[in-house]
Amino acid sequence: MDGRAQDDGRVYQASGDQHISEHHHYDGGPQAPAGPDSVRRPAVGRPPLVLRDRTEVLDRLRSALTAQSGDDIFVLYGMGGCGKTAVAHAFFQTATAEYGRVGLWVNATDRASLRSGMLAVAADRGAADGELLAARNGYRPAADLVWRYLASSPDPWLLVLDNADDPAILSDGSWLRTSPRGTVLVTTRRAAPRWWPGAELQHIGVLPREDAARVLRDLAPHTGTLAQAAEIADRLGRLPLALTLAGGFLSHQVIEPWTMDVYGRHLEEELPVQLLDRGADALSDADPRHLVGQTWQLTLDAFAARGLPEAVDLLRLIARLAPEPLPLSVLNDDGISAVLPRGRAESALRALLDHSLVERVDVGDNAGLRCVLGHGVLLDSVVAATPAAQAPVLDATAGRLLGAALPEVPDAGPYDPRLRLLAPHVRALLRRTGEPAVVAEVLEVATRLATAMHRTGDYPSAWETVGAAADIAARTLGDGHRAVLAARSRAGRVLFRLGRYTEAEESLRRTLTAQRQRFGADDPDSLDSAHGLQLVLRNLGHAEESLTLLYATAAGRQAALGPWHPLTLRSRSSILAALGAAELTAEDGRTGLLSLPGQCAEHLGVDHTVSVGARHNHAWALFQLGRLEEADSEIGEVTETYLQRFGPDYPIALAARQLQARTRTALGHTDEGIALMDDVVARRAQSLGQDHPFTVASRDLLRRLRAERP
């Protein structure tokens, strides 16, 4: 058999001279994205009022646009907080407004963000949904797809890869390339030339004294003279981030306004702040980064003195997460009350925004998702200065807020951009916390997040999230912890969906063995791994072992969860799809298996994913039993449901349409069946590639239908 089904799928081969495969999948099939995250608007919050002392760098960047040449890569490097992103933002605005370039902005902080952003770039440059789906699911190289569309772009472009502080991420998959159609600009803390072969490096350092003073005067013009501002700037090391925070503080003192002299006297106090700036290259002997901690600490002290300690608490909570856009909806939950009263969260956030301690950014097209963003250097310094006794409560609260943003039981549904936004925060929190109970709770959130990604078809992001989370948590909890094993189980199922069957089998066998030893064969976690393993075994050709394991899983789930639990019904539905005609007749006589769709509808509802999947498998069973009119009617209704829910390009919809082509042809509507199969073959070739087993099987079926046309 050439075909390979996935999850609850089953590959069937007809006897005689036919060789035809069907694919069925009901474990939350891939979803069409509602639209790619916006790459046309930089997610950088408020730009500076005036960009000081970056004329030489900007002139060099503009010269690349003036020359109308391509194949350029520029790397802006420097310590955190020195204004690399601000320079990139200014150049982005110039390139788009004055030179007519298409501006494309991608966050390159981690693999998931980079991959998501670059696929959005491909979509912007004309990639079709099917091609994007294939790249997202690992069926074709994602970087090749992106750069093919960049190279064929009708418009010249500027691509900004912001916060690329781990250059290895760009190397993996060859994301950083050149094209005669555009210019690439990278911002990073890593300056070593080995990371940027062929690129032109531009150092972004601290500001000259006069320009640094003018930054303070831009922000707080009435608090002191230019000379006084220069004194403050010297004490802050002339670091743009520190200057921005200081200026924001000075400009917002109303009841008891501070002058620059007063501010300077407070800066003379030594504060126990050790700033963390992971990944930065040493740029000078007199590194002024520790002064950022002093700057924000003065602001927080003022909050406490003025009766707004909640702002301090909120910043410490946000600092437990990643320096990435965080949906504001995450903070709008009762769970935040463990750190600060929910009713005070609004005023606390406004205070942080007003003083430039965090920024508001909108992510996505149109109105987008409203998010809050903190600078990495600032957040690291806040973490370093947070009392150790507060860390467990902050970590536990952050984990519960992230968990509350996810459904308790993720199901198939439309693409949700919030999922990818949450992923870096879950990983960052796992790295921050050291309390075993908190680690276990956050790991459960990470597994649930990966499951939600899995069931919207974002398999690479699901793998990156749960694989990294399990590795981090295992250092604290050990490999045999229940939460770690559950994460490994989900990782194995994601490997299966990525087409890495051998790895998936090894991972799931190892996980299932450990779970059975620790919790027993009928434990729900063991049964979940068993269900995943039987899918892999079936696709590897171990049909007998797969069916034995599936029967045991269905029986175990019925005993542990009850006969009408969705997982029990899902396993029984898989049995419905796994049997031949004679076996179906015998099984129906024993257990009434063919009545399963009605039982699902009665106990779960007719629109439940498991109910629709059971009807799909039931239609296949009817077709095998020769009940063609019934099979055709049922698969027609199922197909319409899938098309409305998932769109026309996704495997679950294509599998249903392929079965519909067979039923229509068997009933004598040959031309209609061939037309359906023509469309299925074209869509599978586009989304999976010409040589994918599903495409090959569909093409064989189409050829057979044409040969048998009267």
Side-chain angles (χ1 to χ4, degrees):
M1 297 180 65
D2 294 333
R4 283 291 183 269
Q6 298 184 4
D7 280 354
D8 284 6
R10 173 64 169 165
V11 176
Y12 300 94
Q13 182 175 7
S15 61
D17 60 353
Q18 293 184 331
H19 186 94
I20 298 170
S21 296
E22 293 286 345
H23 168 62
H24 306 267
H25 167 57
Y26 305 118
D27 188 17
Q31 311 300 310
D37 293 345
S38 175
V39 289
R40 293 294 190 101
R41 294 191 302 170
V44 297
R46 292 175 292 181
L49 298 174
V50 179
L51 192 63
R52 300 289 184 183
D53 184 52
R54 305 305 186 194
T55 303
E56 184 177 344
V57 172
L58 287 173
D59 285 346
R60 174 64 190 98
L61 295 175
R62 287 192 191 97
S63 68
L65 302 180
T66 304
Q68 296 294 315
S69 62
D71 289 324
D72 294 318
I73 299 178
F74 295 95
V75 175
L76 306 182
Y77 71 93
M79 71 178 70
C82 68
K84 304 180 295 294
T85 296
V87 175
H89 181 270
F91 181 50
F92 186 94
Q93 298 302 324
T94 298
T96 55
E98 298 180 20
Y99 291 88
R101 292 288 182 107
V102 171
L104 305 164
W105 189 285
V106 172
N107 180 3
T109 304
D110 59 22
R111 286 181 173 82
S113 299
L114 174 66
R115 186 185 185 87
S116 172
M118 292 297 276
L119 287 176
V121 165
D124 183 275
R125 296 293 80 208
D129 286 347
E131 294 175 299
L132 294 168
L133 175 68
R136 184 177 298 116
N137 293 351
Y139 295 134
R140 59 174 54 181
D144 290 350
L145 174 72
V146 174
W147 280 99
R148 177 161 62 86
Y149 276 95
L150 284 172
S152 62
S153 171
D155 307 303
W157 43 262
L158 167 66
L159 172 63
V160 176
L161 301 176
D162 193 30
N163 292 320
D165 295 330
D166 184 358
I169 293 174
L170 296 177
S171 299
D172 295 344
S174 187
W175 287 106
L176 184 61
R177 309 182 190 182
T178 62
S179 168
R181 296 300 297 155
T183 299
V184 180
L185 180 67
V186 181
T187 72
T188 182
R189 301 184 203 178
R190 306 296 292 272
R194 69 179 183 276
W195 291 115
W196 315 109
E200 180 175 327
L201 275 66
Q202 296 283 332
H203 177 220
I204 307 297
V206 299
L207 294 171
R209 191 171 194 266
E210 183 176 347
D211 287 297
R214 292 187 182 281
V215 168
L216 277 176
R217 289 275 296 166
D218 291 339
L219 295 168
H222 305 300
T223 60
T225 66
L226 192 62
Q228 291 170 327
E231 292 293 328
I232 299 297
D234 284 341
R235 293 177 184 177
L236 294 176
R238 305 194 304 276
L239 187 68
L241 175 61
L243 296 170
T244 299
L245 296 175
F249 174 86
L250 287 167
S251 65
H252 287 90
Q253 304 308 302
V254 177
I255 297 177
E256 186 181 357
W258 285 28
T259 65
M260 289 189 184
D261 281 343
V262 172
Y263 192 86
R265 286 196 296 273
H266 281 274
L267 277 179
E268 292 176 0
E269 302 174 8
E270 289 296 327
L271 296 173
V273 177
Q274 178 185 1
L275 182 66
L276 303 178
D277 191 12
R278 289 186 290 269
D281 293 302
L283 300 176
S284 66
D285 293 334
D287 190 341
R289 289 172 284 178
H290 66 281
L291 294 171
V292 177
Q294 295 186 23
T295 304
W296 70 257
Q297 187 64 56
L298 288 177
T299 304
L300 296 188
D301 290 344
F303 285 155
R306 287 159 47 191
L308 193 60
E310 294 85 5
V312 181
D313 297 329
L314 181 59
L315 184 59
R316 286 174 174 166
L317 178 63
I318 293 173
R320 311 309 293 181
L321 305 174
E324 301 280 349
L326 174 70
L328 286 173
S329 58
V330 172
L331 303 176
N332 187 26
D333 185 84
D334 287 337
I336 203 171
S337 299
V339 172
L340 69 153
R342 183 177 181 182
R344 299 284 285 171
E346 176 74 22
S347 58
L349 181 58
R350 287 188 180 279
L352 297 180
L353 291 168
D354 287 344
H355 289 78
S356 300
L357 292 168
V358 296
E359 295 178 295
R360 255 285 313 276
V361 296
D362 293 330
V363 178
D365 291 326
N366 302 320
L369 286 167
R370 301 187 314 131
C371 297
V372 63
L373 174 67
H375 193 286
V377 176
L378 171 63
L379 298 185
D380 281 347
S381 71
V382 173
V383 169
T386 297
Q390 294 184 14
V393 174
L394 292 167
D395 291 338
T397 302
R400 287 166 192 151
L401 290 174
L402 293 171
L406 298 170
E408 282 297 324
V409 182
D411 195 8
Y415 170 77
D416 185 350
R418 289 178 301 172
L419 299 179
R420 287 186 186 148
L421 291 176
L422 295 177
H425 298 292
V426 172
R427 293 193 295 268
L429 182 56
L430 276 171
R431 295 187 184 99
R432 295 261 194 232
T433 188
E435 288 289 324
V438 179
V439 171
E441 187 173 348
V442 177
L443 179 58
E444 187 277 332
V445 172
T447 303
R448 192 148 40 98
L449 174 60
T451 303
M453 290 174 164
H454 183 155
R455 291 176 180 171
T456 60
D458 191 357
Y459 308 122
S461 295
W463 163 246
E464 290 162 1
T465 297
V466 77
D471 290 342
I472 295 168
R475 299 169 197 159
T476 301
L477 302 177
D479 289 322
H481 192 279
R482 178 182 286 275
V484 174
L485 290 171
R488 300 288 190 204
S489 178
R490 175 52 54 181
R493 298 185 71 166
V494 177
L495 283 171
F496 171 64
R497 290 298 288 153
L498 288 169
R500 295 157 62 176
Y501 300 130
T502 301
E503 294 174 75
E505 181 192 9
E506 293 173 355
S507 175
L508 286 168
R509 279 193 188 278
R510 185 168 56 249
T511 301
L512 178 58
T513 298
Q515 288 172 324
R516 284 177 167 175
Q517 289 174 347
R518 286 166 173 78
F519 318 128
D522 291 331
D523 181 84
D525 285 359
S526 301
L527 294 169
D528 284 346
S529 296
H531 186 87
L533 179 58
Q534 62 86 20
L535 296 170
V536 180
L537 294 174
R538 189 187 306 173
N539 282 268
L540 287 172
H542 308 309
E544 184 175 348
E545 183 183 3
S546 171
L547 188 58
T548 299
L549 186 58
L550 179 56
Y551 270 118
T553 301
R557 281 180 162 175
Q558 179 164 334
L561 305 174
W564 313 123
H565 192 279
L567 294 179
T568 304
L569 292 172
R570 173 168 284 158
S571 291
R572 292 190 64 205
S573 176
S574 296
I575 296 173
L576 183 67
L579 302 177
E583 297 168 309
L584 277 168
T585 301
E587 182 68 27
D588 186 52
R590 290 193 302 269
T591 65
L593 186 62
L594 291 175
S595 65
L596 183 63
Q599 297 170 13
C600 291
E602 178 184 354
H603 294 279
L604 303 180
V606 67
D607 294 326
H608 194 282
T609 303
V610 172
S611 299
V612 180
R615 295 189 67 205
H616 189 167
N617 281 343
H618 187 252
W620 169 254
L622 293 175
F623 179 77
Q624 288 202 103
L625 293 169
R627 295 159 61 176
L628 300 181
E629 293 282 357
E630 297 172 78
D632 184 64
S633 175
E634 186 161 42
I635 197 58
E637 294 174 2
V638 169
T639 297
E640 286 303 312
T641 299
Y642 285 159
L643 291 175
Q644 293 175 12
R645 190 175 297 182
F646 304 124
D649 290 314
Y650 297 92
I652 192 169
L654 292 173
R657 297 192 77 194
Q658 180 160 305
L659 177 55
Q660 188 180 27
R662 297 193 66 178
T663 61
R664 298 307 291 162
T665 302
L667 289 170
H669 307 291
T670 306
D671 290 341
E672 184 181 352
I674 290 174
L676 282 169
M677 278 310 304
D678 261 326
D679 187 64
V680 169
V681 170
R683 292 181 184 276
R684 279 188 163 166
Q686 182 185 48
S687 61
L688 304 177
Q690 292 286 351
D691 298 325
H692 192 282
F694 298 160
T695 307
V696 173
S698 294
R699 196 161 51 238
D700 287 345
L701 174 57
L702 174 61
R703 185 163 43 245
R704 190 63 189 175
L705 294 180
R706 284 174 172 164
E708 293 177 351
R709 176 186 289 171

